[in-house]
Amino acid sequence: MIQGLILAGGGSFRLHKNKMTLLLDGKPLICHTIDAMRPFVDGLFVVTGYYHEDTWEVVQSTPGLIVVRNRFYERGMFSSVQYGARFLEETADYFLTPGDVPLVKASTYEALLKAKGDIRIPVFEGQRGHPVFLASCLLSSLLEEPRDSNLELWIAKHQPTFVPVDDEGILLDVDTETDFEQLIRHRERMK
């Protein structure tokens, strides 16, 4: 079994609005992320926080999706990772990605599934991106990691496997208006 964990708890403070609801080709950004992951997982969880109501509104009708609200989102992204991980099946491997990485190709998910290792990270032209594949055997370690840690520190403890992919989309997230414009340009090139 493979599950998906999509992070959507941040305040998008550099953008000054909920980036998960920005429209890309007429559809909210997070819905693109959900649709990209859906064929490769048996269950999907979205972790909300600062913009819970807005994000819930755009994803609530998505079949098979469970939305969980991290009330401690102000502690940072790692708090949402740990909060969301509490809902995963103990025996399930899972994909983890921020909700603002919407243009990941199916071939990237396939490459991560075929690779070996308990943690698999896609790499495009030497840069690490998302989604990250995590094996179920590491779930308890993740949940036991100190709250003041972060995902990068935790991953560094577990010898990740880096998986080369031909997919710039693994690097394209949205923190600013410029990032969103770059994402739109990339989407146009993909068509």
Side-chain angles (χ1 to χ4, degrees):
M1 173 183 281
I2 297 176
Q3 295 186 314
L5 189 56
I6 297 174
L7 307 175
S12 308
F13 297 117
R14 285 178 276 179
L15 196 63
H16 308 293
K17 54 186 160 187
N18 184 2
K19 58 187 170 181
M20 299 302 160
T21 61
L22 291 175
L23 296 181
L24 179 65
D25 292 341
K27 184 165 68 172
L29 209 62
I30 192 169
C31 293
H32 287 277
T33 304
I34 291 167
D35 289 347
M37 187 182 285
R38 181 191 302 281
F40 304 98
V41 297
D42 302 299
L44 270 169
F45 296 85
V46 168
V47 184
T48 64
Y50 188 87
Y51 287 110
H52 170 73
E53 290 81 10
D54 292 346
T55 303
W56 182 81
E57 189 66 35
V58 300
V59 302
Q60 66 170 323
S61 62
T62 305
L65 179 76
I66 297 172
V67 177
V68 295
R69 184 179 190 178
N70 174 17
R71 296 187 186 278
F72 303 102
Y73 60 84
E74 71 279 353
R75 293 180 182 160
M77 185 182 81
F78 194 57
S79 73
S80 287
V81 172
Q82 288 184 308
Y83 185 77
R86 292 171 36 197
F87 295 90
L88 298 169
E89 294 287 333
E90 289 181 12
T91 57
D93 297 333
Y94 56 102
F95 286 110
L96 170 68
T97 192
D100 66 337
V101 185
L103 301 184
V104 175
K105 294 178 181 176
S107 59
T108 293
Y109 283 99
E110 291 164 356
L112 290 170
L113 288 171
K114 289 177 186 172
K116 303 293 183 198
D118 292 337
I119 299 177
R120 305 168 201 168
I121 301 172
V123 177
F124 176 74
E125 295 183 354
Q127 295 184 67
R128 301 173 190 181
H130 286 94
V132 174
F133 174 93
L134 298 163
S136 62
C137 63
L138 295 176
L139 185 59
S140 60
S141 169
L142 177 65
L143 293 172
E144 292 165 6
E145 185 73 2
R147 276 195 337 209
D148 61 351
S149 186
N150 63 54
L151 189 61
E152 189 173 333
L153 288 174
W154 178 79
I155 284 174
K157 297 176 183 179
H158 297 282
Q159 299 180 324
T161 299
F162 298 104
V163 181
V165 296
D166 183 21
D167 184 3
E168 187 181 0
I170 70 166
L171 307 176
L172 300 177
D173 63 352
V174 177
D175 291 321
T176 65
E177 288 286 352
T178 302
D179 292 339
F180 188 52
E181 290 164 9
Q182 181 182 359
L183 194 75
I184 292 169
R185 287 193 299 273
H186 183 78
R187 179 72 165 182
E188 291 302 315
R189 289 194 305 270
M190 288 174 64
K191 289 182 180 178

